[in-house]
Amino acid sequence: MKIVSWNINSVRFRIEIVEKFLREVRPDVLCLQETKVVDQDFPRASFKALGYDRIIVHGQRMHHGVAIVSRVPLIEDDRFDWQANQEARHVGVRLPNGVRLENVYVPAGGDVPDREVNPKFGQKLDFIDRMTRWSETLAGPTILTGDFNIAPLESDVWSHKQLLDVVSHTPIEVAALNGLQASNDWVDLGRHFHPAPARLFTWWSYRAKDWALSDRGRRLDHMWATADVAAQATRHEVFEPCRSWLKPSDHIPIMTEFDW
């Protein structure tokens, strides 16, 4: 089974590249973040035409919204309000084998890494803390994936030194994410298959005139699994060419394949 996560940055605006990806890669399940669409306007017909007729959406206008589309049966499971303000940033399902699949969009956190000056940064840290409290009591095989908006390792960014004070790579964010990972011994599947310091970026800013030439990337998108599920993973792939497709997202898809 192939499971993909992709911050698409507006599913309707970029539906053509989503369709292209699904035709070429044929994942079994696709988790989307930042869909930027209310539930009734989600482009279901486009997915159903390609065989993805199981569609679970948790939509919202502006910069939020998550969805899971699938070629295999899904059971809708939960929608956690880890932001504590009803923003649509999580949706969870159960796969046919009983594994939980949790799709999350962690807030970016603004520009200043100080919760007193920048409330958005505090919201981000609180979001991770609520996820950690949930994780501590979690039981059963689970996959946690999505846009975590944190690049935890030195090799997860183009310049560790230059980004230490930049939101997404600050020590306080990294410590929070490490605490989440330790709370249930989550396996970081990206680094499990591509150990540091291997280059493994999933995001490049729109501000770069030539994103590939400057290559100022960060690994903001992740797929984690509980140990029992991680033992069944066979490979993890990032799809860097998607960053050059027509009307691209600033994120690329990531995929883990499982021996199920």
Side-chain angles (χ1 to χ4, degrees):
M1 181 176 287
K2 299 175 181 178
I3 298 178
V4 169
S5 175
W6 193 1
N7 179 321
I8 193 58
N9 191 14
S10 179
V11 65
R12 289 185 296 176
F13 184 70
R14 306 187 205 285
I15 191 62
E16 290 85 2
I17 64 171
V18 176
E19 293 170 336
K20 174 180 170 66
F21 179 83
L22 293 178
R23 285 193 298 265
E24 293 184 1
V25 179
R26 296 299 291 168
D28 297 284
V29 183
L30 171 64
C31 298
L32 294 170
Q33 304 90 40
E34 204 172 352
T35 54
K36 295 184 178 179
V37 61
V38 294
D39 292 357
Q40 61 267 30
D41 293 334
F42 190 85
R44 289 174 172 82
S46 297
F47 291 100
K48 290 182 177 180
L50 293 172
Y52 294 84
D53 54 357
R54 282 82 169 189
I55 301 171
I56 309 295
V57 296
H58 186 192
Q60 193 170 24
R61 297 185 189 278
M62 302 300 290
H63 301 293
H64 316 307
V66 287
I68 301 176
V69 301
S70 174
R71 298 191 294 147
V72 301
L74 299 176
I75 299 174
E76 186 168 359
D77 193 16
D78 45 41
R79 299 183 181 194
F80 296 129
D81 184 15
W82 286 321
Q83 182 77 334
N85 63 0
Q86 288 77 55
E87 288 185 0
R89 291 184 175 274
H90 168 268
V91 65
V93 299
R94 290 185 185 268
L95 301 174
N97 60 358
V99 173
R100 294 176 61 159
L101 175 61
E102 310 290 350
N103 177 22
V104 64
Y105 176 32
V106 177
D111 297 324
V112 181
D114 184 329
R115 69 160 61 235
E116 301 302 325
V117 176
N118 172 25
K120 290 183 178 180
F121 189 70
Q123 287 180 332
K124 180 177 188 176
L125 297 177
D126 293 342
F127 189 105
I128 298 293
D129 183 68
R130 294 185 188 100
M131 288 179 66
T132 303
R133 304 287 82 78
W134 161 82
S135 173
E136 288 172 343
T137 61
L138 178 67
T142 305
I143 297 167
L144 177 63
T145 193
D147 177 5
F148 292 6
N149 261 315
I150 299 173
L153 304 181
E154 292 187 15
S155 55
D156 286 341
V157 295
W158 64 273
S159 173
H160 169 64
K161 184 176 181 180
Q162 294 184 66
L163 293 179
L164 273 174
D165 294 325
V166 175
V167 173
S168 79
H169 190 61
T170 64
I172 189 171
E173 292 169 278
V174 171
L177 193 65
N178 288 344
L180 171 59
Q181 186 173 3
S183 68
N184 208 306
D185 292 326
W186 292 99
V187 177
D188 177 350
L189 295 169
R191 284 307 182 188
H192 176 73
F193 286 99
H194 306 276
R199 178 183 173 282
L200 193 67
F201 299 152
T202 68
W203 175 92
W204 294 261
S205 173
Y206 285 129
R207 296 175 182 176
K209 292 183 179 180
D210 187 330
W211 72 271
L213 180 63
S214 61
D215 196 28
R216 295 190 170 190
R218 307 177 201 175
R219 187 172 73 106
L220 303 181
D221 305 87
H222 303 266
M223 193 171 298
W224 292 0
T226 51
D228 48 356
V229 178
Q232 302 171 73
T234 57
R235 70 186 179 104
H236 181 88
E237 186 174 355
V238 299
F239 294 87
E240 195 165 315
C242 293
R243 185 61 179 80
S244 293
W245 286 2
L246 183 66
K247 297 193 299 187
S249 172
D250 45 357
H251 296 254
I252 60 171
I254 64 173
M255 181 179 77
T256 303
E257 188 167 350
F258 299 88
D259 188 14
W260 296 332

